Amino acid sequence: MKQKDPVTKNQRYLAVFLALTMLLSAGAIFFSGNSNKDKSDNASSSGNLEENNTIAFSQIPGRQVHHEFNSIADGLNMSPEGVVSASYVDLQRTTGTPFEQFFGNQTIMYSLYGADVTKRYGARYADGNGFELHQIPERKMIMPWGAVQYDNYSLLARTNNTYDIWNVAGSPVILGSRQSVQDVIDVLQGNATASTEYNSLLSQANTEGSLYQELTVKTNNSTLPADQRYMDIKKLDDGSYSQTFLYLNPESNFTDEIKALQANSTERGVTYNVTTSGNITKMMITSDFRSLLNETEMLSQ
């Protein structure tokens, strides 16, 4: 049986992972990989493996992740505090929609795991680091290069100690640097605080049935017209789409812009529904895909 060269395989995994994070960049999801080897505890090598050689989760020793994973809120409940942006996409719901091209490229995910991924979540932090969560119903993945233990969880090396990319099996699977994966485990085990930064916005969000969800906080480097923003996209029964925005403490000139766009929205074939509750403004726009896309572009100008 022909063996793959380890350098080639490392490069393939890294390329896949970089493509994976760029795919979610529309939702501000980034991951900063570290090419330095861990000095204190290298993973034991599992040798060169064929591309399609997969392992069932049931064969992986130790604890595994068991957490509800149906919305961005569920992802935040697994995320260490300090999240500056997060995204969640239901890849099954994007199938057959125009959004499949933006968020639903399952070929990349299959190349990473040798199995289908149906849901994805990613979180980014102020230092540029982050991690992702992936739902894999088949409960299998391409064999890791090796494993190390952390709090009785198996941290699975995705490259041969060349790049800092690790998995933890379960529902969902964790993917990130070794430190970020350990930080998520700390949250799951109750040893660290989960992200609560967006609770006030999420209390007014209806996340059920969303294709895509996104949360962002205003930073010194952003042009967000509010302290925080939530956004989701849903496909409606009549084939049209709705896009809901929640803004925490929106800037006054931005609320004026919303009113101006709403005033003549019917001429563009778009329906607006805008309400305010305390310091949160909620805006839902409904239309066909192309009109919705054009309206979103105008709102972002």
Side-chain angles (χ1 to χ4, degrees), residues 155 166 168 174-185:
L155 276 59
W166 300 76
V168 174
I174 309 171
L175 177 71
S177 69
R178 181 169 177 176
Q179 185 60 58
S180 66
V181 167
Q182 292 178 172
D183 291 343
V184 175
I185 291 173

Side-chain angles (χ1 to χ4, degrees), residues 104-145:
N105 190 336
Q106 298 202 42
T107 302
I108 293 175
M109 304 306 297
Y110 194 92
S111 298
L112 182 65
Y113 290 116
D116 289 328
V117 171
T118 57
K119 299 173 183 177
R120 294 179 65 185
Y121 165 87
R124 183 175 67 91
Y125 292 82
D127 60 3
N129 291 316
F131 69 94
E132 289 207 19
L133 303 173
H134 303 142
Q135 190 71 35
I136 304 177
E138 296 175 82
R139 299 186 62 79
K140 67 177 184 178
M141 64 173 64
I142 291 175
M143 288 278 284
W145 281 92

Side-chain angles (χ1 to χ4, degrees), residues 20-90:
L20 177 154
T21 53
M22 286 191 289
L23 180 66
L24 276 185
S25 63
I29 299 304
F30 300 95
F31 174 81
S32 177
N34 185 347
S35 62
N36 294 324
K37 296 181 181 180
D38 189 279
K39 304 300 182 183
S40 61
D41 191 8
N42 287 334
S44 58
S45 175
S46 59
N48 298 333
L49 298 164
E50 284 297 317
E51 181 174 345
N52 294 324
N53 194 350
T54 59
I55 183 172
F57 289 2
S58 60
Q59 296 176 270
I60 299 172
R63 293 176 176 172
Q64 296 188 9
V65 179
H66 298 285
H67 195 281
E68 187 173 0
F69 190 54
N70 295 308
S71 69
I72 197 170
D74 295 333
L76 287 170
N77 287 337
M78 298 175 62
S79 304
E81 57 188 345
V83 174
V84 297
S85 62
S87 292
Y88 173 91
V89 57
D90 188 325

